């Protein structure tokens, strides 16, 4: 009562202060903000705590949470009001409402709880349609990169560093564009070229190199979460996704316009369905992780499917638009102006995409193969028909005499939960079960399973003498997996337990008894104690023999299943097994010979067909028109079981309505409910890559800047929303985006523009005074030093050791004298094809990836061609921050850990490369008069692209004298100077 009185007193005081009357409460300005801030996060459709939603007045009134005109008896007021000093029941999280907020709600209810028509209480995003990233490109006209950088530097009373030295510059540019160190010949040629255009010629040569696509393709593969296993608990390897990797490398080398590349990612199979080089681009959609475990529960299956499409939505929106659209899956985005309708519009766009592989071939390739296989298939069809008709005739004849066969089937069929055979007592040392036919597939005699096989002694106290605990041993070929070699072995049949099973790959199970023993009974099963023994995983024998032996050479049959009725689990009511038995019994010798002849001919045809190469099947995804068929709905709270409003497939609302669309000129799109799956994706692809879409251009321009300088103008490359960082140089970002648009979305001209700037060409020298203002060099008063990526470190070690040779791509004398431009790059074309592995792969139901201690010559390829599996650890690569490809990595972490030093120093790969480098240096310097000094000089040139000074040379010579040349090379490979670019 005290709290109620205080609340009343506060209200009375307010009335007196305002002249004795209360101004009418405006719901939208006075009450809605309170409910939105304190209540809506828990009480909204799809996440309505206590089944209470406050999005509409009807929901509040219908639930009797409020009684219009009667605040005193409204439950809402009771919930938010403290009683006897205790904390009020609501809000459950955060601070309680203050008196003014409570009074505003009370007054609103007393005044009739007026709620404006068509008003729906929704979260208000922190950013609106006026957010900087949604605005048209502005500024930068007539400017340059250096002018825009200098302007910001001047505002902060900073200035740029002087230019970097030529040796430093060629190392920086070469790593930047092709991810490899320059060769000694390339360095000499550049240093000797004093012409004004020497640096520009260097850039042109590097941009022409086929290794450019390998370097920048790796960047893009990071962004689009390219990985070659499906992740989740099974994490199965995907061996046919590598064509997408090669497509990316090839596209970048060709300088394919990036708008076309993005279009091909989203709808390559729609744009040019008959061109494999374009269709493969749409493998982007299925290049991410997905759950292939499957679930028989339709609710869980629907949730898994929703998760799969969510992964595509997140990957696409973040890679191309720099927006975290996935945050609108369960509710409107809390920070960015993205609605649930936007999210489920994209959901409808990708609804028809299913993970899997399809044939990837041109119409000509399909026709050529069809012409080869057609006559063979016709012959095959004829032979199969002849065999089928012969079998049918035999079976028909047998069925006419069915009763004469049935009279021999006097015993019950085999029982998976326990089949018993008794026989006259016989002394045996060995007992074996031979499968004549399997119950699920009677023509086969392998693949059966046994959970327990018992052999009982004929003694006063019968015992199961087959048990391992009784000295029994079991033999039989079994399904084998590397990481658990005995997981399905024959020992499981005599362990006295029924949970695990022997899975036979042969046709027998042999038991060796501890000593010759009189026996008269065996019992065997595959589903003992199971509730559903008919389940397919309990495959059993249908026809069988039990044999015994004293020496494992001479065998005697003591029991068979020939007189049992057909196995009840073999097809409907055992018909399949019965037909198998009848066919064997009724066929004549002439029919047998005829069938064997036809079968030989059929085998020849099948061998001929097998000799014709199949059309390549590639992991590019399938298109399921049934799944793509609408209508589509918002899922309340993200649950497929709670369908909300119907959804139309259309462009993001924030960029398609009002002044936003008018300002950018970006056309909106809206697809009818019955529009095709391909039309939806093509509409999205066209909208994303429209030259009036400022988001895509800004995001791409920022990615280029990011990889050149280590940090983007926007430091969160895949998040241009409210929670991302603001651009450090907004005008520069728009300038680069406009340049990208003006160059028809080709990125090589932008590379050159960036790298020709004085900002890029300045030295990385540290200045304490400048660092005090800008410690991270975000304003670019110096070139930020960068550590090499994991791939570049490994590639560098391969190159400097001589284990991976890059052809000289420049004629040093010709260029040095200025007589001609550098010749066309004759470097080897990127090798491509299936990737190599730095792990040992093992698969059962789930997959295991064990890092290799030894890296053989087959792995001496550029790291971009490594078959990266999700959640796999690859020593050197993982230690140096190669990301897990479970999701897109727009910006790699750069850590410093003790394991990096230990791995780089001690891994066998480093030791192998050090030995190889020593051999290479020895061979190169074997004619030198001062061999050791020559080796030191050449080692420094290869590793650090510089000459050692006098002290370094002498120290190295002394070191080699004490520890040998391989130890010196190992030290070079472990130097920080090797893995950092200044």
């Amino acid at each position: 009562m005290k709290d109620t009185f205080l609340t009343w007193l506060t209200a009375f005081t307010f009335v007196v202060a305002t002249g004795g009357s209360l101004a009418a409460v405006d719901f939208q300005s006075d009450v809605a903000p309170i409910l939105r801030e304190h209540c809506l996060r828990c009480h909204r459709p799809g996440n309505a705590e206590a089944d209470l939603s406050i999005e509409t007045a009807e929901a509040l009134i219908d639930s009797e949470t409020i009684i219009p005109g009667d605040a005193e008896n409204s439950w809402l007021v009771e919930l938010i009001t403290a009683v006897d000093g205790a904390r009020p029941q609501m809000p459950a999280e955060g601070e309680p409402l203050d008196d003014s907020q409570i009074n505003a709600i009370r007054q609103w209810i007393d005044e009739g709880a007026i709620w404006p028509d068509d008003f729906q209480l929704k979260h208000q995003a922190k950013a609106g349609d006026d957010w900087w990233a949604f605005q048209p490109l502005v500024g930068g006209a007539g400017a340059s990169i250096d002018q825009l950088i200098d302007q910001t530097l001047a505002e902060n009373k900073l200035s740029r560093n002087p230019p970097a030295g030529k040796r430093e510059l060629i190392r920086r540019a070469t790593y930047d564009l092709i991810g490899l160190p320059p060769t000694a010949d390339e360095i000499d040629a550049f240093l000797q070229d004093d012409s004004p255009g020497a640096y520009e010629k260097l850039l042109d040569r590097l941009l022409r190199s086929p290794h450019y696509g390998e370097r920048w393709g790796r960047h893009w593969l990071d962004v689009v979460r390219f990985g070659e296993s499906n992740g989740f608990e099974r994490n199965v390897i995907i061996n046919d996704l590598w064509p997408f990797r090669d497509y990316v490398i090839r596209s970048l080398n060709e300088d394919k316009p990036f708008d076309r590349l993005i279009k091909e990612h989203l709808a390559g199979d729609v744009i040019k369905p008959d061109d494999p080089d374009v269709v493969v681009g749409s493998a982007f959609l299925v290049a991410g992780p997905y759950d292939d475990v499957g679930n028989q529960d339709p609710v869980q299956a629907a949730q898994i499917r929703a998760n799969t499409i969510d992964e595509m939505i997140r990957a696409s929106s973040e890679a191309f638009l720099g927006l975290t659209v996935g945050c609108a899956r369960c509710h409107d985005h809390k920070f960015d102006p993205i609605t649930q309708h936007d999210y489920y519009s994209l959901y409808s766009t990708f609804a028809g995409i299913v993970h899997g592989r399809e044939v990837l071939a041109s119409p000509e390739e399909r026709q050529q193969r069809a012409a080869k296989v057609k006559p063979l298939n016709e012959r095959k069809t004829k032979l199969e028909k002849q065999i089928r008709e012969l079998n049918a005739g035999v079976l028909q004849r047998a069925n006419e005499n069915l009763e004469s066969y049935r009279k021999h089937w006097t015993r019950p069929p085999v029982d998976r939960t326990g089949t018993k055979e008794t026989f006259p007592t016989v002394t045996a040392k060995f007992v074996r079960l031979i499968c004549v036919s399997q119950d699920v597939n009677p023509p086969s005699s392998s693949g059966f399973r046994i959970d327990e096989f018992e052999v009982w002694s004929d003694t006063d106290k019968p015992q199961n003498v087959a048990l391992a605990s009784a000295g029994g041993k079991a033999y039989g070929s079994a399904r084998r997996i590397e990481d658990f070699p005995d997981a399905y072995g024959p020992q499981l049949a005599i362990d006295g337990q029924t949970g695990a099973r022997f899975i036979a790959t042969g046709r027998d199970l042999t038991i060796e008894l501890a000593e010759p023993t009189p026996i008269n009974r065996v019992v065997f099963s595959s589903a003992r104690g199971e509730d559903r023994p008919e389940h397919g995983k309990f495959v059993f024998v249908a026809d069988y023999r039990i044999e015994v032996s004293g020496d494992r050479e001479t065998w005697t049959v003591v029991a068979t299943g020939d007189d049992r009725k057909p196995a009840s689990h073999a097809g409907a009511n055992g018909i399949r097994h019965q037909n198998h038995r009848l066919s064997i019994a009724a066929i004549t010798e002439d029919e047998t010979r005829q069938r064997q002849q036809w079968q030989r001919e059929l085998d020849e045809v099948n061998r001929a067909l097998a000799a014709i190469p199949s059309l390549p099947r590639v992991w590019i995804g399938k298109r399921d028109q049934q799944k793509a068929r609408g209508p589509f709905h918002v899922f309340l709270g993200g649950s497929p079981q709670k369908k909300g409003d119907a959804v139309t497939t259309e462009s993001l609302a924030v960029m398609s309505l009002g002044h936003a669309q008018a300002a950018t000129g970006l056309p909106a799109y809206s697809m009818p409910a019955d529009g095709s799956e391909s039309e939806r994706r093509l509409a999205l692809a066209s909208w994303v890559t429209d030259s009036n879409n400022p988001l895509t251009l800004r995001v791409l321009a920022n990615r280029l800047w990011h990889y050149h300088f280590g940090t983007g103008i926007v430091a969160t490359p895949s998040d241009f929303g409210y929670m991302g960082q603001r651009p450090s140089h907004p005008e520069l970002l728009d300038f680069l985006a406009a340049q990208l648009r003006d160059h028809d979305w080709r990125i090589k001209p932008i590379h050159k523009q960036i790298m020709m700037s004085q900002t890029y060409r300045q030295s990385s020298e540290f200045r304490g005074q400048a660092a005090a203002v800008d410690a991270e060099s975000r304003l670019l008063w110096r070139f930020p030093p960068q550590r090499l990526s994991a791939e570049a470190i490994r590639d560098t070690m391969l190159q400097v050791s001589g284990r991976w040779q890059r052809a000289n791509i420049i004629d040093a004398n010709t260029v040095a004298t200025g007589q001609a431009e550098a010749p066309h790059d004759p470097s080897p074309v990127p090798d491509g094809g299936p990737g190599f592995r730095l792990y040992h792969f093992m698969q059962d139901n789930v997959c295991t990836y064990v890092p290799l201690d030894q890296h053989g010559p087959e792995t001496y390829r550029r790291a971009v061609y490594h078959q990266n599996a999700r959640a796999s650890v690859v020593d050197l690569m993982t230690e140096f921050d190669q990301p897990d490809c479970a999701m897109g990595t727009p910006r790699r972490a750069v850590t410093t850990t003790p394991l990096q030093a230990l791995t780089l120093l001690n891994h066998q790969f480093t030791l192998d490369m050090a030995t190889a480098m020593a051999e290479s240096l020895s061979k190169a310097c074997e004619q030198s008069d001062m061999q050791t000094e020559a080796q030191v000089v050449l080692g420094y040139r290869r590793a650090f692209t510089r000459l050692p000074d006098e002290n370094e040379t002498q120290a190295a010579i002394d070191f080699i004298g004490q520890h040998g040349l391989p130890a010196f090379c190992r030290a070079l490979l472990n130097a920080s100077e090797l893995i950092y670019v200044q």
Side-chain angles (χ1 to χ4, degrees):
M1 292 295 296
K2 178 180 178 182
D3 288 332
T4 302
F5 173 75
L6 289 175
T7 301
W8 176 87
L9 183 61
T10 301
F12 177 78
T13 304
F14 179 74
V15 170
V16 172
T18 55
S21 63
L22 285 171
V25 171
D26 180 77
F27 175 77
Q28 288 185 246
S29 61
D30 299 330
V31 178
I34 300 172
L35 299 180
R36 181 183 294 116
E37 180 180 356
H38 296 280
C39 310
L40 188 60
R41 65 176 173 267
C42 295
H43 299 284
R44 65 176 188 273
N47 191 36
E49 295 289 336
D51 295 325
L52 173 61
S53 169
I54 65 169
E55 282 200 334
T56 63
E58 289 80 1
L60 286 170
I61 295 171
D62 292 346
S63 64
E64 300 183 355
T65 302
I66 63 172
I67 303 174
D70 187 0
E72 193 64 32
N73 291 303
S74 291
W75 186 39
L76 176 61
V77 175
E78 179 183 337
L79 290 172
I80 62 177
T81 304
V83 178
D84 296 332
R87 178 186 170 90
Q89 297 180 57
M90 293 293 159
E93 300 175 3
E95 294 297 320
L97 304 186
D98 60 35
D99 290 341
S100 63
Q101 292 171 320
I102 295 173
N103 288 333
I105 293 174
R106 291 176 64 92
Q107 183 183 347
W108 170 66
I109 296 174
D110 282 337
E111 291 175 354
I114 298 171
W115 187 300
D117 292 341
D118 300 326
F119 180 82
Q120 192 173 7
L121 192 64
K122 288 184 173 293
H123 276 296
Q124 186 170 348
K126 299 290 185 182
D129 60 2
D130 59 347
W131 186 248
W132 69 267
F134 303 129
Q135 307 313 306
L137 301 180
V138 295
S144 69
I145 291 173
D146 289 329
Q147 289 172 344
L148 295 170
I149 291 292
D150 288 347
Q151 178 181 323
T152 305
L153 287 172
E155 292 170 358
N156 290 273
K157 298 181 180 179
L158 295 172
S159 60
R160 228 181 12 247
N161 268 355
K166 292 187 72 175
R167 192 181 295 273
E168 183 180 37
L169 196 56
I170 186 175
R171 188 170 191 266
R172 179 190 304 172
T174 306
Y175 267 119
D176 199 350
L177 287 179
I178 68 172
L180 294 165
T183 66
D185 289 344
E186 291 165 354
I187 295 170
D188 289 345
F190 182 62
L191 293 178
Q192 295 168 19
D193 187 355
D194 295 326
S195 66
Y199 177 65
E200 184 175 4
K201 285 187 288 186
L202 168 68
L203 297 185
D204 289 339
R205 172 174 63 79
L206 293 171
L207 288 169
R208 286 196 308 268
S209 169
H211 303 303
Y212 160 81
E214 294 172 326
R215 167 68 166 174
W216 283 81
R218 179 66 266 171
H219 293 327
W220 187 242
L221 293 172
D222 275 2
V223 173
V224 299
R225 89 297 186 212
F226 170 78
E228 295 177 85
S229 69
N230 67 358
F232 290 88
E233 60 264 47
R234 283 182 17 93
N235 202 21
V236 177
I237 202 76
I238 300 174
N239 285 318
D240 48 10
L241 187 53
W242 59 264
F244 176 75
R245 174 247 291 151
D246 287 358
Y247 152 87
V248 168
I249 293 172
R250 184 170 61 251
S251 296
L252 293 181
N253 276 333
E254 295 169 355
D255 203 15
K256 178 183 292 184
F258 229 86
D259 59 340
R260 192 195 309 168
L261 185 76
I262 294 173
K263 267 189 175 181
E264 291 172 0
H265 282 0
L266 292 170
D269 57 314
V270 182
I271 297 169
K272 287 189 176 182
D274 292 333
D275 187 345
D277 288 339
V278 175
V279 173
V280 71
S282 59
F284 156 80
L285 297 168
V286 294
Y290 83 106
D291 188 348
D292 73 335
V293 171
N295 199 303
Q296 300 303 312
D297 181 351
V299 173
Q300 292 302 316
Q303 190 63 54
I304 290 171
R305 178 61 182 161
N307 294 344
T308 300
I309 299 178
D310 176 72
E311 194 279 331
M312 298 180 203
I313 292 171
R314 292 174 185 268
S316 303
S317 61
E318 292 172 18
F320 308 141
L321 300 173
L323 293 177
T324 55
V325 174
C327 294
R329 179 180 182 180
C330 303
H331 49 73
D332 290 349
H333 204 299
K334 292 184 178 181
F335 302 103
D336 300 335
I338 301 168
T339 67
Q340 265 194 293
H341 188 285
D342 289 328
Y343 177 91
Y344 287 98
S345 172
L346 287 175
Y347 191 102
S348 69
T349 303
F350 297 126
I353 304 299
V354 178
H355 287 72
R357 46 187 55 85
E358 289 282 7
V359 169
L360 185 68
S362 67
E364 294 76 17
E365 290 170 328
R366 294 172 188 263
Q367 291 168 5
Q368 290 171 5
R369 188 174 190 281
K372 294 178 181 178
V373 302
K374 182 180 178 181
L376 292 171
N377 276 331
E378 289 174 349
R379 177 62 177 156
K380 178 179 179 179
T381 300
K382 181 179 179 181
L383 288 168
E384 288 175 338
K385 181 181 178 182
Q386 290 172 324
I387 294 173
R388 189 166 56 250
E389 289 175 347
L390 186 151
N391 289 338
V394 171
L395 185 59
Q396 180 180 355
R397 188 171 65 245
N399 274 304
E400 291 172 355
N401 297 301
L402 179 59
E403 292 307 318
S404 65
Y405 293 109
R406 278 182 173 172
K407 67 182 181 181
H408 300 292
W409 304 335
T410 57
R411 290 197 293 162
V414 292
D415 185 349
R416 289 180 172 184
T417 63
T419 295
K420 181 170 69 172
E421 282 289 354
T422 59
F423 43 84
T425 302
V426 59
T427 299
K429 172 69 172 174
F430 299 92
V431 181
R432 74 180 178 187
L433 165 70
I434 295 181
C435 177
V436 177
S437 64
Q438 179 209 94
D439 66 350
V440 170
N441 182 24
S444 174
S445 59
S446 61
F448 65 94
R449 306 180 183 201
I450 299 293
D451 60 7
E452 202 65 16
F453 189 90
E454 302 171 358
V455 179
W456 289 88
S457 63
D458 183 11
T459 56
D460 292 340
K461 293 182 178 180
Q463 292 182 329
N464 176 12
V465 291
L467 284 171
S469 59
K473 298 178 182 178
Y475 308 95
S477 57
R479 178 180 172 188
R480 184 179 175 85
I481 55 175
E482 288 187 69
D483 45 349
F484 298 102
D486 295 326
Y488 307 113
Q491 80 282 354
L492 299 173
I494 58 171
D495 62 358
Q497 302 177 19
T498 57
R501 289 161 188 81
F502 162 53
I503 300 180
T505 56
R507 60 193 298 263
D508 62 90
L509 168 66
T510 301
I511 309 299
E512 180 182 359
L513 307 181
E515 59 184 5
T517 305
I519 61 173
N520 64 357
R521 176 165 48 109
V522 297
V523 181
F524 51 100
S525 56
S526 67
R528 197 172 305 190
E530 296 290 344
D531 294 333
R532 294 187 57 195
E534 74 281 0
H535 198 284
K537 68 180 179 180
F538 303 125
V539 175
F540 197 42
V541 297
D543 292 316
Y544 60 87
R545 295 195 308 272
I546 304 296
E547 300 179 346
V548 299
S549 175
D551 56 8
R552 207 177 178 182
E553 293 184 5
T554 303
W555 294 88
T556 302
V557 176
V558 295
T560 74
D562 296 346
D563 59 345
R564 291 187 180 274
K565 294 176 182 178
S568 59
H569 299 302
N573 300 318
I575 296 299
R576 191 175 184 191
H577 181 210
Q578 175 178 295
N579 289 344
H580 175 67
R581 280 184 170 181
L582 292 174
S583 297
I584 293 174
I587 194 167
T588 67
E589 291 185 8
D590 288 342
E591 288 170 331
T592 299
R593 283 192 293 271
Q594 180 63 76
R595 188 170 65 179
Q596 289 174 344
Q597 178 183 337
W598 287 338
Q599 187 61 52
R600 285 193 295 270
E601 293 178 24
L602 180 60
D603 291 342
E604 291 177 4
V605 171
N606 286 331
R607 283 193 292 271
L609 283 169
I612 300 173
S614 299
L615 293 174
R617 295 181 65 85
V618 177
W619 191 263
I620 55 176
K622 298 174 177 289
R623 309 297 176 254
D624 189 324
Q625 298 306 321
Q626 182 63 36
K627 294 182 184 297
R629 191 172 295 123
F632 297 97
H633 299 265
V634 167
F635 292 163
L636 300 179
S639 171
Q641 307 308 312
K642 299 178 181 178
K643 292 184 179 179
D645 296 338
V647 168
T648 303
T649 305
E650 54 192 9
S651 47
L652 293 183
V654 68
M655 299 179 69
S656 304
L657 300 173
H659 75 271
Q661 182 184 0
T664 61
L666 175 62
Y669 71 88
S670 182
M671 307 292 293
D674 58 353
S676 71
E677 179 269 346
S678 58
E679 289 173 335
R680 292 183 208 133
R681 284 191 289 119
L682 187 57
L684 172 65
S686 298
W687 182 83
V688 167
T689 57
D690 192 289
S691 288
N692 289 311
N693 191 327
L695 266 178
T696 314
L697 286 163
R698 283 192 178 107
V699 168
L700 180 54
N702 186 68
R703 293 197 194 283
L704 296 177
W705 190 268
H706 161 76
Y707 290 119
H708 282 298
F709 289 96
T711 304
I713 298 170
V714 176
T716 50
S718 288
D719 188 358
F720 276 37
Y722 184 85
M723 295 302 289
Q725 293 194 24
R726 307 300 186 271
S728 59
H729 300 78
E731 288 187 47
L732 175 60
L733 180 60
D734 278 12
F735 168 77
L736 292 170
Q739 289 294 304
L740 183 63
R741 179 190 59 201
D742 294 345
H743 284 87
D744 298 322
W745 295 73
R746 297 183 184 276
I747 65 174
K748 283 190 177 182
I750 311 304
H751 285 309
K752 187 173 179 178
Q753 199 167 355
I754 292 172
M755 297 176 74
M756 287 294 294
S757 71
Q758 294 302 317
T759 301
Y760 181 87
R761 296 163 70 175
Q762 67 182 315
S763 79
S764 59
E765 179 185 353
F766 180 82
R767 290 186 283 131
Q769 188 175 0
V773 178
D774 178 25
E776 296 182 354
S777 190
R778 290 284 282 121
L779 303 180
L780 295 173
W781 52 268
R782 71 166 178 159
F783 181 84
Q786 300 175 43
R787 196 189 70 194
L788 297 180
S789 66
E791 292 88 345
I793 291 173
R794 186 177 185 278
D795 292 347
T796 294
M797 293 172 72
L798 281 170
Q799 177 164 311
V800 301
S801 68
R803 281 293 179 257
W804 182 81
Q805 291 289 354
R806 177 161 62 94
N808 289 332
I809 58 175
I810 193 167
D811 183 325
N813 293 328
T814 302
V815 175
T817 58
Q819 296 175 5
E821 300 243 343
H824 177 69
D825 184 352
S827 296
V829 174
D831 54 9
F836 66 94
R837 298 174 182 174
L838 297 178
Y839 50 78
H840 180 59
F841 172 67
M842 294 175 286
Q843 179 177 5
D844 184 24
N845 187 45
V846 297
C847 297
T848 306
Y849 300 84
V850 179
L852 294 177
D853 293 328
Q854 301 273 348
H855 296 179
E858 73 281 359
T859 71
Y860 295 167
R861 299 167 62 188
R862 291 205 67 175
V864 70
Y865 299 111
H866 181 249
Q867 191 175 20
N868 288 332
R870 295 181 166 92
S872 63
V873 176
V874 186
D875 297 332
L876 180 70
M877 308 284 282
T878 302
E879 299 302 347
F880 281 94
D881 306 307
Q882 181 190 56
D884 184 0
C885 39
M887 59 190 70
T889 307
R891 180 178 184 179
R892 290 192 177 192
V894 181
T895 63
T896 302
T897 69
L899 279 177
Q900 292 170 347
L902 291 170
T903 302
L904 195 60
L905 180 65
N906 297 315
H907 196 283
Q908 188 61 46
F909 176 74
T910 304
L911 300 179
D912 290 344
M913 294 304 101
T915 300
M917 186 177 183
E919 293 172 355
S920 178
L921 294 180
S922 294
K923 184 176 180 180
C925 303
E926 61 186 357
Q927 302 300 324
S928 174
D929 294 335
M930 304 177 66
Q931 191 177 77
T932 303
E933 181 177 349
Q935 292 168 347
V936 170
V937 171
L938 183 56
Y940 265 77
R941 291 185 70 198
R942 285 188 183 179
F944 308 143
T945 64
R946 68 174 178 87
L947 300 175
D949 62 29
E950 186 175 339
N951 291 333
E952 289 173 325
T953 301
Q954 189 56 53
I957 292 173
D958 294 342
F959 182 86
I960 293 172
Q962 294 179 26
H963 304 286
L965 186 56
F968 167 69
C969 293
R970 185 180 178 191
L972 293 178
L973 297 179
N974 279 270
S976 293
E977 188 174 353
L978 180 80
I979 64 173
Y980 278 89
V981 173
Q982 302 290 329

